[in-house]
Amino acid sequence: MEAVNRALAKRGFELDIERLQSLERQRKETQVRTEELQAERNRQSKNIGKAKAAGEDIEPLLSQVASLGDELKSRQTELEAIQEELHDFLREVPNIPHTSVPAGGKEEDNKEIRRWGELKVMDFVAKDHTTLGEALGLMDFEAATRIAGARFVVMRGALARLHRALIQFMLDVHTNEHDYVEVNVPYLVNPDSLFGTGQLPKFAEDQFYIEKQDLYLIPTAEVPVTNMARDTIIDSGKMPLRYVCHSPCFRSEAGSYGQDTRGMIRQHQFEKVELVQLVRPDDSYRLLEELTDHAESILQRLDLPYRVVVLCGGDLGFSAAKTYDLEVWLPSQRRYREISSCSNFEDFQARRMKARWRNPATDKPELVHTLNGSGLAVGRTLIAIMENCQDEDGRIHIPEVLHPYMNGVTVIE
């Protein structure tokens, strides 16, 4: 238990060991007494049958069984309450970080692994994507505000087509070259699905909730795609399962402020192409590296400079055991910004979802390991292209790999 507490401390979480041990002790004691009462009641019930067959007075036995039944009911109620309290306690405990996760409590403590690409030399002041898009008349935040409110955008013409081209390009690469199966999933999910992947209960305020149907708009395709395995046992011969899914994503972005609220960096609605893998535990860290390579390949083909960082314990997501962030270069900000997070959740999500595979070595069901990463966030990829491929006149030069998807358009002007 102390080792677990030390590991969780790496991510700034203090496990209340005393409370956990107290709850577990109460659970065991109450469960033992409940089982004893059940056994005693069963024994006395059999004695009633024997006494009745022998013509003996059974009233004392009936009274005793009734008394046992009252205490048993009380103990069962007590046990349910303790189990619920223990469940509530444990569901607030985040995943244990992998031993390779660096210590630290903030973004600055993340460790850079590598960089790719040369930063483009611009002999003019780089404009941000908002200025570029509005100047071209293809990005309209005012119209989106009238339609919905702040943190939405309307895209028109060639820019809308470029956004769509990116989605198709990413799907084509991942299905044709990386062996992912494309899936189309519901954009509304039930609370169990969000609990399974770790968004509930901790991040309830970040979700868009539809009370009448008790459904949530998905914050990422990770939720419905991973939950395809909920309450199932996967055939080992079919693993690893690899899925790719394009979807809109909806987040309330509670508490976000500052520069990121301008433009498309942090919106209530955005789109991603998501990669999800369900894998054997022994393969999960090797496949995390492979999944990260798959996401990186999109940036490389678009010739967008980026870096890879491994998140420190304090910056790690609630469900993740280890995460690599891909950060693309944005000239207007003179910094790298996150465009994908590639994570290994080990069996954390699988335990919450009861997602298992049958191990042929034991012929018994065991928990799978789950992986996911954006391959990529479409809006942020669009932003990166606009800013890195702009010229002094505000035109956007479309990366060559996207030309076949753009119906002959190579420059947006």
Side-chain angles (χ1 to χ4, degrees):
M1 189 63 70
E2 288 296 337
V4 171
N5 202 25
R6 286 194 300 271
L8 288 171
K10 183 185 282 190
R11 63 187 304 157
F13 183 88
E14 184 176 353
L15 182 66
D16 189 342
I17 295 178
E18 185 175 337
R19 184 185 172 207
L20 177 59
Q21 290 176 334
S22 174
L23 286 170
E24 182 60 14
R25 184 169 55 252
Q26 292 175 55
R27 184 198 65 78
K28 286 181 178 179
E29 291 173 354
T30 306
Q31 186 166 329
V32 167
R33 181 54 183 159
T34 299
E35 291 170 354
E36 289 175 346
L37 288 167
Q38 287 173 328
E40 179 63 15
R41 188 178 67 170
N42 291 340
R43 189 176 67 81
Q44 294 291 9
S45 295
K46 291 179 181 178
N47 289 339
I48 290 173
K50 292 178 182 178
K52 189 174 182 180
E56 299 174 0
D57 182 9
I58 63 171
E59 284 303 320
L61 291 174
L62 288 172
S63 177
Q64 188 174 1
V65 168
S67 177
L68 286 169
D70 289 341
E71 185 180 357
L72 176 60
K73 185 176 180 180
S74 175
R75 288 288 186 171
Q76 287 174 330
T77 301
E78 182 182 354
L79 180 60
E80 288 174 3
I82 294 171
Q83 288 174 327
E84 183 64 27
E85 187 175 356
L86 185 59
H87 176 71
D88 289 344
F89 176 87
L90 291 174
R91 70 181 188 173
E92 297 286 351
V93 178
N95 201 358
I96 299 170
H98 189 261
T99 54
S100 63
V101 170
K106 54 187 182 302
E107 184 179 345
E108 290 73 19
D109 297 318
N110 296 337
K111 181 180 178 182
E112 184 175 309
I113 302 298
R114 57 184 173 272
R115 294 189 181 193
W116 185 94
E118 296 293 328
L119 304 186
K120 294 178 175 63
V121 176
M122 297 180 178
D123 55 4
F124 57 91
V125 177
K127 301 181 180 69
D128 68 16
H129 70 280
T130 306
T131 302
L132 288 164
E134 290 180 330
L136 290 165
L138 303 178
M139 190 175 282
D140 193 336
F141 294 96
E142 289 186 8
T145 300
R146 290 195 301 274
I147 296 166
R151 299 195 197 175
F152 293 92
V153 65
V154 170
M155 288 181 283
R156 299 189 179 97
L159 202 59
R161 185 176 187 115
L162 178 58
H163 187 269
R164 176 161 55 90
L166 281 167
I167 295 166
Q168 191 61 60
F169 166 67
M170 294 176 192
L171 289 172
D172 285 350
V173 171
H174 294 312
T175 55
N176 295 337
E177 301 182 29
H178 298 153
D179 201 27
Y180 287 83
V181 174
E182 183 177 356
V183 292
N184 188 285
V185 294
Y187 302 155
L188 292 165
V189 294
N190 56 38
D192 286 344
S193 294
L194 283 163
F195 174 79
T197 45
Q199 282 79 14
L200 289 183
K202 186 172 179 61
F203 302 106
E205 66 174 7
D206 290 329
Q207 314 306 321
F208 282 108
Y209 178 56
I210 304 171
E211 184 175 4
K212 185 176 180 180
Q213 285 80 20
D214 192 25
L215 294 172
Y216 292 83
L217 287 166
I218 61 170
T220 165
E222 169 200 348
V223 178
V225 177
T226 310
N227 272 275
M228 287 165 55
R230 181 157 50 108
D231 296 322
T232 66
I233 300 176
I234 302 168
D235 182 346
S236 65
K238 296 180 179 180
M239 298 176 75
L241 293 177
R242 293 177 175 172
Y243 298 117
V244 60
C245 181
H246 159 250
S247 78
C249 308
F250 305 90
R251 298 183 189 174
S252 70
E253 296 294 354
S256 62
Y257 60 91
Q259 183 181 22
D260 284 358
T261 61
R262 181 176 187 267
M264 288 179 63
I265 290 287
R266 198 173 294 278
Q267 295 198 299
H268 291 314
Q269 176 184 312
F270 56 98
E271 299 188 43
K272 288 198 299 175
V273 171
E274 195 76 1
L275 307 175
V276 172
Q277 295 195 24
L278 304 163
V279 308
R280 298 181 185 90
D282 289 346
D283 296 334
S284 67
Y285 277 97
R286 174 181 63 82
L287 292 174
L288 173 63
E289 301 297 327
E290 184 178 270
L291 182 146
T292 305
D293 288 343
H294 294 160
E296 287 185 65
S297 73
I298 301 296
L299 289 167
Q300 293 172 8
R301 293 169 195 232
L302 294 170
D303 196 24
L304 295 173
Y306 69 92
R307 69 172 188 163
V308 182
V309 299
V310 59
L311 299 191
C312 67
D315 206 27
L316 205 58
F318 178 80
S319 301
K322 184 175 183 177
T323 297
Y324 292 114
D325 267 8
L326 309 187
E327 299 180 347
V328 70
W329 177 255
L330 293 186
S332 70
Q333 298 186 17
R334 303 296 302 169
R335 59 181 291 204
Y336 291 95
R337 298 302 307 268
E338 178 197 337
I339 197 167
S340 174
S341 288
C342 300
S343 301
N344 186 350
F345 304 99
E346 296 186 359
D347 62 10
F348 185 84
Q349 293 180 329
R351 181 172 287 104
R352 295 163 78 102
M353 295 188 302
K354 297 182 178 64
R356 296 166 293 170
W357 69 296
R358 190 171 297 281
N359 188 338
T362 61
D363 197 36
K364 294 181 179 179
E366 298 177 10
L367 295 171
V368 301
H369 279 196
T370 60
L371 314 173
N372 88 270
S374 298
L376 302 161
V378 181
R380 292 196 178 190
T381 308
L382 180 73
I383 290 169
I385 290 173
M386 292 175 69
E387 294 200 7
N388 282 279
C389 301
Q390 65 179 294
D391 63 22
E392 190 171 7
D393 297 324
R395 297 178 299 179
I396 311 299
H397 296 263
I398 297 169
E400 187 175 348
V401 292
L402 297 178
H403 290 180
Y405 298 90
M406 290 297 295
N407 197 29
V409 176
T410 59
V411 179
I412 300 177
E413 54 188 339

